[in-house]
């Protein structure tokens, strides 16, 4: 009888410990973008991303559970009620080997996806994306922009979808010869919902439009889809 009571006590303690472990594991993360600040910025420090007149870059911290996980630039875009995308801002060490002091510069970085429930950050690898040319416009889990081939001589109309292996659209538009006084390669892409259509306007070339038919989201988010999203601020 005494042995049975001991086993019951051990089992009860195990259940209580397991319950505390599950509760700790299920604790939601607090993810949000903090207040913006301006940092020195120039074409010299970021030749691929800065505008000719830019001398300041507005950045915001991405905070997870009160700690700065990344620095970001520009507006965020909600993909689902638990995931959003935003462009990363990079602080690079620009010191030469012989410099006695460190010299830090800011650059616009790649796009990242943030999961509010897991508190995780994933780098997005957008095909033919070039920071000097590609002005990404988001709709749902699609990114539309003008892409540039590895040779740097051919503009493409690109629609990439998060988690898809290949771009939904990758069509040649026009030749590209970059120069210091060159205007932007393309205007920002324009989305329409019904029918689902995206329009590109390359500089000095005809407007092109593409219909996206029969496509649905391919983004797979881990965890319980019925879980209440954590408190967040993305704007």
């Amino acid at each position: 009888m005494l042995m049975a009571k001991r086993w019951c006590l051990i089992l009860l303690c195990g259940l209580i410990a397991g319950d505390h472990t599950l509760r700790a594991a299920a604790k939601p993360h607090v993810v949000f973008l903090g207040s913006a600040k301006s940092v020195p910025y120039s074409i010299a420090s970021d030749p691929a991303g800065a505008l000719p007149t830019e001398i300041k870059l507005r950045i915001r911290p991405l905070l997870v559970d009160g700690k700065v996980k990344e620095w970001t630039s520009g507006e965020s875009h909600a993909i689902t009620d638990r995931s959003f995308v935003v462009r990363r801002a990079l602080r690079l060490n620009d010191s030469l080997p012989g410099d006695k002091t460190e010299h830090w510069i800011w650059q616009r970085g790649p796009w990242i996806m943030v999961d509010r429930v897991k508190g995780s950050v994933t780098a997005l690898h957008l095909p033919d994306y070039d920071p000097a040319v590609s002005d990404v416009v988001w709709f749902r889990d699609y990114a539309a922009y003008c892409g540039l081939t590895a040779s740097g001589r051919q503009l493409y109309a690109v629609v990439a979808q998060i988690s898809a292996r290949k771009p939904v659209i990758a069509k040649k538009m026009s030749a590209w010869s970059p120069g210091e006084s060159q205007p932007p390669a393309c205007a920002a892409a324009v989305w329409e919902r019904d029918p689902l259509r995206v329009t590109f306007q390359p500089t000095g070339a005809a407007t092109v439009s593409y219909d996206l038919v029969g496509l649905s989201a391919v983004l797979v988010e881990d965890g319980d889809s019925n879980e209440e999203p954590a408190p967040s601020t993305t704007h």
Side-chain angles (χ1 to χ4, degrees):
M1 185 69 177
L2 182 60
M3 184 63 70
K5 288 183 177 179
R6 286 180 178 176
W7 277 111
C8 288
L9 182 60
I10 292 172
L11 179 61
L12 179 60
C13 290
L15 290 173
I16 292 174
D19 181 64
H20 282 302
T21 301
L22 289 174
R23 287 178 180 272
K27 182 181 178 181
H29 295 279
V30 179
V31 180
F32 65 97
L33 295 175
S35 300
K37 70 175 184 177
S38 295
V39 294
Y41 187 69
S42 68
I43 289 180
S45 63
D46 190 6
L51 299 176
T53 57
E54 261 184 318
I55 58 173
K56 295 285 185 179
L57 179 67
R58 286 178 61 81
I59 61 173
R60 301 174 70 183
L62 169 65
L63 294 109
V64 178
D65 299 333
K67 297 180 179 179
V68 177
K69 194 156 189 176
E70 298 282 359
W71 286 95
T72 69
S73 175
E75 297 298 321
S76 63
H77 167 73
I79 301 295
T80 69
D81 58 352
R82 62 174 278 177
S83 299
F84 66 92
V85 293
V86 68
R87 195 171 180 184
R88 189 181 176 201
L90 302 174
R91 190 167 183 251
L92 300 179
N93 183 6
D94 193 47
S95 304
L96 292 171
D99 292 346
K100 295 182 179 180
T101 58
E102 292 181 341
H103 177 228
W104 295 90
I105 59 174
W106 286 94
Q107 291 190 0
R108 288 186 173 97
W111 285 85
I112 56 177
M113 184 173 69
V114 183
D115 188 312
R116 300 185 184 104
V117 175
K118 295 191 298 181
S120 62
V121 176
T122 303
L124 299 180
H125 302 285
L126 302 177
D128 291 330
Y129 173 83
D130 185 280
V133 171
S134 305
D135 183 9
V136 179
V137 181
W138 291 91
F139 176 68
R140 298 178 182 168
D141 61 335
Y142 303 110
Y145 54 92
C146 286
L148 196 62
T149 56
S151 66
R153 299 296 178 182
Q154 183 67 52
L155 286 177
Y156 271 71
V158 180
V159 175
Q161 190 173 21
I162 294 179
S163 298
R165 293 184 178 181
K166 297 181 179 180
V168 177
I169 293 173
K171 300 288 187 181
K172 286 184 180 181
M173 289 194 299
S174 62
W176 173 248
S177 298
E180 292 184 2
S181 60
Q182 184 87 13
C186 297
V190 177
W191 283 99
E192 298 175 60
R193 182 181 291 109
D194 189 17
L196 183 54
R197 178 180 298 158
V198 62
T199 300
F200 295 87
Q201 176 60 71
T203 300
T207 299
V208 290
S209 297
Y210 301 96
D211 290 351
L212 285 71
V213 180
L215 293 177
S216 59
V218 296
L219 174 65
V220 177
E221 296 172 323
D222 297 331
D224 185 1
S225 61
N226 295 321
E227 187 175 358
E228 195 70 24
S232 61
T233 303
T234 59
H235 294 288

